[in-house]
RNA sequence: GCGAAGGUGGCGGAAUUGGUAGACGCACCAGGUUUAGGUCCUGGCGCUAACCGCGUGUGGGUUCGAGUCCCACCCUUCGCACCA
């Protein structure tokens, strides 16, 4: 055994051992309980970052732990390989995206392997391979024929100079990121997936996902956004034709207070008004230009113009003016609202600006005296407070036959009356919209549709799949290069055989990642999307990834899983199994971000970012940071706080450099030890050093232990050491099940501390060391593997069973009690096991005699095995 | 604005059901080995001059006993945001 711990050779040797034995290959085994442990697959951006290391280490620790617990564990890896960065890199370097992507995959795969993850590489997949994406296409054609996929026009960001579609993140301050040209909204035909068909189920099933963080479930709930209300029709006449303007409201009880209508600028009425009236046209035009991002909308002042139309109140027959309002969203409800200024904050602001009537129809119990209500009172000449500032909904007033009704009763009555006239019904509205999957991009999965002048949009038949993406193209920033490739575009109609044009749009890359987890079960399956092996492995038992995917990726995957089940891809699924199988990820762990400090030098207002590794800090006697400077030249640097690692702030830590300096095991140990998995991790080079120091101490202890035997430790000391080690082990086993991996790492440290306190190497030391190496093996697998063999404990620590504490070791002859007087801790006392509470209390009183000082003992509280509280 | 999570030493963080607050580590201090430095080893380390004092964001409460439970408030972070 080497004197010094040399991670490089230890890790190479262990990795060769695993490779030679194909240690991580897994097959289906009906006789064993399966555990599918999955980390979100990476986008092959070039090289691994610390977030990857953290993510994959968490997954690997759990994988190795459950393996040692006897489960049949699958942990695969693959590549989310389509996407925009490859096109950008291609433009910058004039390299085809395919080559750039595959080079990156090769490099990052070596990095992952150097970290020693227990991955079954025989299941590796990349979404840019035709063998993978053909099944995107295959499923799409199925869904298209069923109507779950369909075509309609959708709004995109259009760069008029490059003649190309921009992603939201490519629009900066309303301008194209490359050209600086003002971005336009443009309507183009797109393909959609009818995720709304599953809205009800996707929402309801969230309540049956105990393994998901509440936060994520809530975000999904809000995203799906179910609300109950009433759809109300307002009749009007236009060009001698009777029409109805429909609105949706959750507050039908305020219908009697509607004094105007507001429609979205994209609403047919607005478009009609724009054709007829110059002012309306100008307003609609301006709205189209102003913004693409919906979030900005909230900041803009409410504005509108009259549409020149009046509608009829469905209950009173009163004439109500219609306005075009910039605050009305076309994409929600009917794209039109009834304006009830007295009881809606937005309607009120709008009415205030344009002098529209305010009519109170709800009475709220407690009048408000608050300052901000005064203006309102002056305006409306009433003595009450707008309902939206109240928690209660109030009762109807000024509402004729509805006066006195509460919210629920009023909504029911009004809905019934509207229903009788055919001008309203109760309705459930969803915020969730259908998923537009068309991307006017080259580096993605081609949408398998052929446009035929005679037959229309024809899905490509199975026999002609996959529609292979040509890989030699280099985009130049002026639109999708597929459009300029006649051999791709020009084809024959699969239906009639006449000349036709192939669709050149590709799919949103979220499609690729919505089912990859199922494909890992059977990546070699050439004849089907998935096979019976997916039935064995699905659902994923533990999914691990970033919170940034809390909504889209996870929601789309939940949708896809259901669509795939409904397509019969999992065969006949009994109802009970359907519930568990529909949710692709039974347990979800969202790991926190990796943060680092950033520093800059300030030379005349110009910041130069200095890498934290090049900064030395000065501390006072208590360890507080008082100053910082750059090591190379002593220049003073300014601390800029913690943030995500980024190139712009020059505060990144390169995993590769870390591995080269300390080894993979230190990188793994540190990322586990520094912080609980779900918290942010604040990077500290000194703390990395501390983790390395611990691994060196483990090595040194094993080195000493190896040749030695015998001990001067007495029986009590040996027993105490054994008690401590097994106590720590009990805690470790509890912690790992609850995914608190930082305390698992510190538990390993505690075991080593206990071993080092023990003189010599009695049998208890050997036992403790076996426990230590097994506890360490998921976190630092190379080190544990090497030492396990060096000490002759066995051939392969991974094959050893995970340790459980020995109840005999945890049994004590004497129990230490904490003694409190009046609730304050005043000492401890050792009590032989098996004494009565009364006897224990007597011993406790004698131990803290001087705090009692002859006063009367009024009560004695004994918590068995823990403490005694003497109340005077 | 709405929603969620969280405030514990100089720092990261521990503390199953209320039961010795600060485990484990970093930083810092002292000593030792080596000595050019680092490595390595030993000890100390919430505040306080000290205590039988004070301490888990602030103020109340429940309890023999509160970081943990209840009420009110303050602050931070994250998510959503004109969704009718």
């Amino acid at each position: 055994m080497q004197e010094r711990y040399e991670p490089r050779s230890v890790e190479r040797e262990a990795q060769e051992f695993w490779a030679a034995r194909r240690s991580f290959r897994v097959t289906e085994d009906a006789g064993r309980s399966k555990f599918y442990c999955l980390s979100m697959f990476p986008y092959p951006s070039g090289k691994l970052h610390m977030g990857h290391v953290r993510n994959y280490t968490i997954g690997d620790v759990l994988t190795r732990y459950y393996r040692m617990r006897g489960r049949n564990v699958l942990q695969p890896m693959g590549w989310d390989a389509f996407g925009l960065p490859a096109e950008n890199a291609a433009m910058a370097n004039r390299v085809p995206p395919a080559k750039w992507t595959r080079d990156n995959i090769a490099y990052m795969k070596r990095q992952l392997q150097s970290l020693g993850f227990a991955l079954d590489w025989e299941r590796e997949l990349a979404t840019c391979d035709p063998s993978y994406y053909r099944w995107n296409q295959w499923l799409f054609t199925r869904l298209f024929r069923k109507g779950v996929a369909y075509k309609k026009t959708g709004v995109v960001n259009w760069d008029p100079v490059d003649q190309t579609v921009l992603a939201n993140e490519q629009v900066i301050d309303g301008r194209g990121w490359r050209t600086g040209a003002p971005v336009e909204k443009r309507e183009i035909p797109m393909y959609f997936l009818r995720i709304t068909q599953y809205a009800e189920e996707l929402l309801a099933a969230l309540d049956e996902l105990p393994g998901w963080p509440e936060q994520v479930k809530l975000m999904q709930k809000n995203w799906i956004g179910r609300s109950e209300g009433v759809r109300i029709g307002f009749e009007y006449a236009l060009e001698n034709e009777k029409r109805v303007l429909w609105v949706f409201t959750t507050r039908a009880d305020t219908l009697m207070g509607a004094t105007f209508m507001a429609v979205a600028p994209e609403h047919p009425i607005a478009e009609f008004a724009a054709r007829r009236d110059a002012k309306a046209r100008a307003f609609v035009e301006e709205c189209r230009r102003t913004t693409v991002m919906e979030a900005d909308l909230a900041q803009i002042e409410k504005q509108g113009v009259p549409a020149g139309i009046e509608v009829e109140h469905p209950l009173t027959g009163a004439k109500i003016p219609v306005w075009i309002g910039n605050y009305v969203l076309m994409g929600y409800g009917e794209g039109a609202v009834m304006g009830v200024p007295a009881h809606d904050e937005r309607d009120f602001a709008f009415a205030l600006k344009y002098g529209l009537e305010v009519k109170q129809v709800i009475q709220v119990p407690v009048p408000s005296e608050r300052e901000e209500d005064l203006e309102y009172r002056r305006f409306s000449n009433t003595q009450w407070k707008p309902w939206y500032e109240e928690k209660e909904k109030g009762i109807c007033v000024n509402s004729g036959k509805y006066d006195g009704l509460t919210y629920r009763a009023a909504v029911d009555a009004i809905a019934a009356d509207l229903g009788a006239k055919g001008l309203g019904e109760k309705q459930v509205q969803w915020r969730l919209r259908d998923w537009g999957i068309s991307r006017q991009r080259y580096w993605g999965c081609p949408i398998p549709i052929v446009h035929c002048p005679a037959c229309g949009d024809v899905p490509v038949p199975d026999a002609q799949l996959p529609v292979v993406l040509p890989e030699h193209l280099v985009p130049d920033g002026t639109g999708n290069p597929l459009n300029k490739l006649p051999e791709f575009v020009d084809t024959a109609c699969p239906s009639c055989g006449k000349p036709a044009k192939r669709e050149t749009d590709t799919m949103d890359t979220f499609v690729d990642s919505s089912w990859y987890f199922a494909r890992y079960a059977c990546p070699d399956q050439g004849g089907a999307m998935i096979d019976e092996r997916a039935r064995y492995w699905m659902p994923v038992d533990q999914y691990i990834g970033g919170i940034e995917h809390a909504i889209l990726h996870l929601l789309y995957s939940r949708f896809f899983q259901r669509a795939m089940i409904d397509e019969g891809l999992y065969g006949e699924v009994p109802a009970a199994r359907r519930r568990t199988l529909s949710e692709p990820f039974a347990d979800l762990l969202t790991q926190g971000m990796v943060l680092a400090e950033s520093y800059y030098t300030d030379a005349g207002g110009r910041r130069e970012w200095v890498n934290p590794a090049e900064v030395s800090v000065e501390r006072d006697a208590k360890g507080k940071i008082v100053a910082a400077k750059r090591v190379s030249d002593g220049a003073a640097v300014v601390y800029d706080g913690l943030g995500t690692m980024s190139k712009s702030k020059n505060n990144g830590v390169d995993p590769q450099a870390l591995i080269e300096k300390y080894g993979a095991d230190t990188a793994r140990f540190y990322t586990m030890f520094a912080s609980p998995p779900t918290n942010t991790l604040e990077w500290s080079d000194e703390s990395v050093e501390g983790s390395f120091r611990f691994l060196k101490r483990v090595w040194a202890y094993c080195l000493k232990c190896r040749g030695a035997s015998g001990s001067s430790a007495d029986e009590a000391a040996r027993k105490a050491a054994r008690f401590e080690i097994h106590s720590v082990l009990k805690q470790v086993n509890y912690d790992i099940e609850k995914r608190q991996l930082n305390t698992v790492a510190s538990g390993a440290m505690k075991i080593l501390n206990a071993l080092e306190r023990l003189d010599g190497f009695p049998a208890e030391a050997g036992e403790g060391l076996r426990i230590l190496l097994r506890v360490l093996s998921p976190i630092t697998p190379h080190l544990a593997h090497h030492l396990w063999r060096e000490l002759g404990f066995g051939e392969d620590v991974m094959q050893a069973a995970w340790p459980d504490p020995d109840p005999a070791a945890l049994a004590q002859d004497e129990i230490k009690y904490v003694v409190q007087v009046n609730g304050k801790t005043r000492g401890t006392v050792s009590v032989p096991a098996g004494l009565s509470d009364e006897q224990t209390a007597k011993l406790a009183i004698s131990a803290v005699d001087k705090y009692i000082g002859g006063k009367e003992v009024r009560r004695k509280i004994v918590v068995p095995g823990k403490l005694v509280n003497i109340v005077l």
Side-chain angles (χ1 to χ4, degrees):
Chain A
M1 184 174 170
Q2 298 254 339
E3 273 295 310
R4 271 168 56 110
Y5 168 44
E6 303 272 9
R8 198 180 294 259
S9 58
V10 168
E11 289 172 8
R12 187 174 9 111
E13 189 190 291
Q15 285 164 16
E16 281 167 6
F17 179 94
W18 297 326
R21 304 193 175 213
R22 298 162 94 185
S23 294
F24 309 132
R25 199 167 70 116
V26 251
T27 51
E28 300 67 40
D29 179 351
R32 283 163 72 203
S33 162
K34 66 98 181 175
F35 190 87
Y36 184 0
C37 184
L38 182 67
S39 294
M40 290 180 185
F41 64 169
Y43 178 78
S45 55
K47 55 186 187 178
L48 293 186
H49 54 69
M50 273 306 163
H52 291 127
V53 175
R54 189 181 196 195
N55 194 157
Y56 301 143
T57 302
I58 294 167
D60 201 47
V61 168
L62 296 175
T63 293
R64 289 171 177 272
Y65 168 71
Y66 283 111
R67 271 184 73 125
M68 291 173 76
R69 280 287 188 199
R71 307 283 292 271
N72 191 27
V73 186
L74 167 61
Q75 187 184 224
M77 183 53 72
W79 309 94
D80 190 12
F82 275 135
L84 199 50
E87 294 191 35
N88 295 338
M91 282 186 265
N93 310 324
R94 300 192 195 292
V95 182
K99 178 171 167 40
W100 182 85
T101 302
R102 295 215 163 81
D103 287 350
N104 288 348
I105 288 175
Y107 181 75
M108 290 171 76
K109 182 173 178 179
R110 280 202 304 280
Q111 287 192 301
L112 287 174
Q113 286 170 327
S114 77
L115 280 157
F117 296 133
L119 295 162
D120 184 356
W121 282 106
E122 292 177 32
R123 294 170 185 265
E124 179 182 5
L125 58 82
T127 58
C128 64
D129 286 342
S131 62
Y132 181 82
Y133 67 70
R134 74 173 290 180
W135 300 109
N136 281 359
Q137 297 173 338
W138 179 87
L139 184 67
F140 178 85
T141 60
R142 288 293 172 293
L143 297 178
F144 188 77
R145 291 193 190 105
K146 261 168 90 172
V148 178
Y150 63 95
K151 185 164 95 168
K152 72 166 190 196
T153 58
V155 181
V156 294
N157 306 309
W158 180 256
D159 185 321
V161 174
D162 268 357
Q163 293 285 299
T164 193
V165 172
L166 299 176
N168 278 342
E169 54 269 31
Q170 294 171 324
V171 181
I172 296 152
D173 295 330
R175 292 169 179 274
W177 66 319
R178 288 169 59 82
T179 62
V183 170
E184 296 171 6
K185 282 185 194 174
R186 201 174 245 219
E187 297 214 338
I188 59 170
M190 290 172 57
Y191 290 91
F192 286 81
L193 297 182
R194 214 178 288 277
I195 189 172
T196 52
Q197 190 177 310
Y198 290 86
E200 192 90 60
E201 194 186 337
L202 289 169
L203 181 72
L206 286 171
D207 292 330
E208 288 170 43
L209 272 178
W212 278 38
E214 286 303 320
Q215 187 199 4
V216 174
K217 286 193 275 191
L218 196 72
M219 281 162 76
Q220 292 220 347
K221 270 183 196 169
N222 292 340
W223 187 261
I224 296 168
R226 181 182 199 274
S227 56
E228 288 178 17
V230 181
R231 183 169 178 259
I232 303 175
F234 292 74
E235 289 179 309
Y236 64 103
L238 195 64
E239 294 166 333
N240 295 321
E241 209 180 302
K242 237 182 168 187
R243 299 172 189 231
V244 180
L245 169 61
W246 289 99
V247 303
F248 174 77
T249 179
T250 54
R251 293 300 307 267
D253 57 322
T254 66
L255 174 58
M256 301 302 272
T259 57
F260 69 95
M261 310 297 292
V263 300
E266 300 87 1
H267 193 277
I269 286 184
E271 283 172 2
F272 174 82
R275 282 198 297 274
R276 204 166 61 171
D277 174 57
K279 243 179 112 180
R281 180 164 47 241
F283 182 74
V284 169
E285 284 284 313
E286 199 198 317
C287 289
R288 179 174 304 152
R289 268 197 309 275
T290 40
T291 182
V292 183
M293 298 289 287
E294 285 183 10
D296 302 337
L297 235 58
Q299 316 301 332
I300 298 172
E301 195 195 356
K302 287 176 183 50
Q303 289 182 355
V305 293
I309 290 171
E310 285 188 327
V311 297
E312 202 170 278
H313 192 288
L315 298 177
T316 65
K319 294 287 181 196
I320 301 175
V322 178
W323 286 66
I324 306 167
N326 66 344
Y327 71 101
V328 184
L329 300 174
M330 191 58 211
Y332 186 78
E334 304 288 342
V337 298
M338 62 180 198
V340 186
H343 306 290
D344 182 276
E345 196 172 1
R346 299 152 300 183
D347 297 343
F348 178 65
F350 194 80
L352 196 63
K353 177 157 179 164
Y354 295 108
L356 300 168
E357 186 195 351
V358 178
K359 186 184 171 204
Q360 175 187 4
V361 291
I362 299 288
Q363 182 93 53
V364 205
V366 188
S368 166
E369 293 304 326
R370 283 178 26 208
E371 187 83 15
E372 51 266 54
D373 296 334
L374 293 179
E375 184 190 9
Y376 178 77
R377 283 186 204 152
R378 267 197 300 280
F379 179 78
S380 62
N381 199 23
T382 53
Q383 286 296 310
W384 48 274
K385 176 178 170 185
W387 73 267
Y388 51 81
E389 290 182 8
E390 289 288 345
K391 282 182 181 136
E392 303 127 84
K393 294 205 168 84
I395 53 169
C396 293
V397 294
N398 290 334
S399 300
K401 63 184 269 209
Y402 308 108
D403 279 356
L405 293 182
T406 59
Y407 166 74
R408 196 164 291 277
V411 169
D412 287 347
I414 288 173
D417 290 348
L418 290 172
K421 296 186 175 189
L423 288 174
E425 73 225 315
K426 285 199 176 179
Q427 198 188 39
V428 173
Q429 269 294 342
W430 302 88
R431 187 185 171 281
L432 184 70
R433 296 171 216 178
D434 279 341
W435 175 15
I437 60 159
S438 292
R439 295 291 178 272
Q440 298 68 39
R441 292 279 149 209
Y442 158 57
W443 189 235
C445 167
I447 293 175
I449 292 284
V450 172
H451 303 289
C452 171
C455 312
D457 303 331
V458 183
V460 176
D462 292 358
Q464 292 175 29
L465 291 179
V467 176
V468 176
L469 183 73
E471 293 201 352
H472 62 281
L473 302 180
V474 180
D476 59 7
T478 62
N480 185 346
L482 288 175
N483 287 324
K484 302 162 201 162
L485 197 68
E487 57 264 46
F488 182 81
V489 175
D490 295 330
T491 184
C493 171
S495 185
C496 67
K498 291 193 185 125
K501 300 279 186 196
R502 199 180 285 287
E503 173 66 53
T504 58
D505 281 358
T506 53
M507 294 185 195
D508 182 0
T509 56
F510 275 118
V511 174
D512 309 330
S513 55
S514 291
W515 67 281
Y516 76 108
F517 41 86
R519 183 69 184 177
Y520 278 136
C522 47
D524 54 358
Q525 175 55 260
M529 191 169 185
I530 53 170
D531 62 27
E532 68 285 350
R533 288 172 288 175
R535 271 205 298 264
Y536 175 82
W537 289 111
M538 287 300 290
V540 172
D541 294 276
Q542 177 71 65
Y543 198 35
I544 305 141
I547 186 80
E548 67 272 21
H549 293 112
I551 298 174
L552 294 182
H553 164 58
L554 293 172
L555 188 64
Y556 293 152
S557 296
R558 297 178 63 224
F559 161 56
F560 251 65
Q561 183 71 1
R562 287 171 169 81
M564 286 168 73
I565 293 171
D566 289 349
E567 202 50 50
L569 291 171
Y570 284 92
E572 280 293 314
V573 182
R577 168 86 170 128
R578 194 197 155 87
R579 268 183 43 206
T580 54
L581 190 62
S582 295
E583 288 300 334
F585 315 117
D587 265 81
L588 175 69
L589 189 156
T590 50
Q591 109 254 13
M593 290 189 301
V594 182
L595 307 181
E597 296 172 325
S598 54
Y599 298 91
Y600 60 88
T601 58
D602 197 345
R606 276 188 57 178
R607 287 179 179 189
E608 190 190 331
W609 294 94
V610 183
N611 192 284
E614 292 153 26
V615 171
S616 79
V617 291
E618 268 176 58
R619 295 167 192 273
D620 64 13
K622 291 188 176 166
K624 248 187 197 166
I625 296 175
V626 290
K629 62 183 183 189
R630 180 158 54 196
V631 177
S632 58
D633 59 1
V637 296
V638 182
Y639 174 55
D640 192 53
L642 281 168
T644 50
M645 291 182 174
S646 71
K647 264 185 200 153
S648 61
K649 287 201 172 181
N650 188 21
N651 65 342
V653 178
D654 180 15
Q656 202 55 43
L658 191 72
I659 293 166
E660 275 155 28
K661 187 166 177 195
Y662 297 104
D665 281 340
T666 295
R668 296 171 58 121
F669 188 90
Y670 171 71
T671 50
M672 291 303 95
F673 175 69
S675 191
T678 53
N679 281 24
T680 56
L681 189 160
E682 296 169 23
W683 195 265
S684 155
D685 285 324
E686 290 92 345
S687 214
V688 173
E689 196 76 52
S691 296
F692 184 53
R693 195 175 306 151
F694 167 67
L695 299 189
K696 284 192 289 188
R697 273 174 60 211
V698 173
W699 183 275
Y701 184 82
C702 289
L703 189 68
K704 274 192 291 179
C705 182
R706 197 161 154 270
S709 66
S711 166
S712 59
D714 61 21
E715 201 190 323
R718 299 208 311 264
K719 216 170 162 176
R722 190 156 191 264
F723 172 75
E724 188 171 357
I725 290 166
H726 283 264
S727 300
V728 172
L729 176 60
K730 190 178 170 196
Q731 186 66 43
V732 159
N733 287 350
Y734 177 82
D735 289 344
I736 200 165
E737 288 290 344
K738 121 180 146 172
R739 311 293 185 246
Q740 185 164 301
L741 305 180
N742 56 323
T743 49
V744 173
S746 76
M749 289 173 152
K750 287 179 191 177
I751 294 174
L752 181 65
N753 288 347
L755 288 170
E756 285 184 335
R757 273 197 296 274
L758 191 60
D759 287 323
F761 303 97
E764 288 81 0
E767 185 202 18
L769 199 49
R770 277 169 211 260
I771 290 172
L772 174 62
L773 292 180
R774 277 178 289 171
V775 165
L776 270 177
S777 67
I779 305 174
T780 60
H782 311 90
L783 180 70
H785 171 84
H786 184 90
L787 294 174
W788 188 259
R789 289 165 66 87
E790 283 286 357
L791 291 162
F793 292 159
E795 194 185 30
D796 185 0
V797 66
M798 271 202 312
Q799 305 293 330
W802 187 264
D804 277 309
D806 177 3
L810 295 175
Q812 291 174 285
D813 310 331
E814 290 224 317
I815 301 159
K816 200 172 87 171
Y817 273 78
V818 171
V819 187
Q820 299 182 329
V821 179
N822 284 340
K824 289 198 189 303
T825 302
R826 296 304 189 193
T828 59
V829 64
S830 279
V831 177
L835 284 197
S836 71
D837 284 1
E838 193 55 39
Q839 289 168 311
T840 303
K842 201 169 281 177
L843 278 173
I845 288 169
S846 62
V848 293
D849 216 18
K850 68 169 176 167
Y851 296 105
I852 294 170
K855 287 187 204 128
E856 183 203 351
V857 175
R858 289 173 52 193
R859 235 178 119 180
K860 289 165 284 196
I861 290 145
V862 179
V863 182
K866 278 189 178 156
L867 85 128
V868 181
N869 190 11
I870 313 293
V871 184
L872 302 178

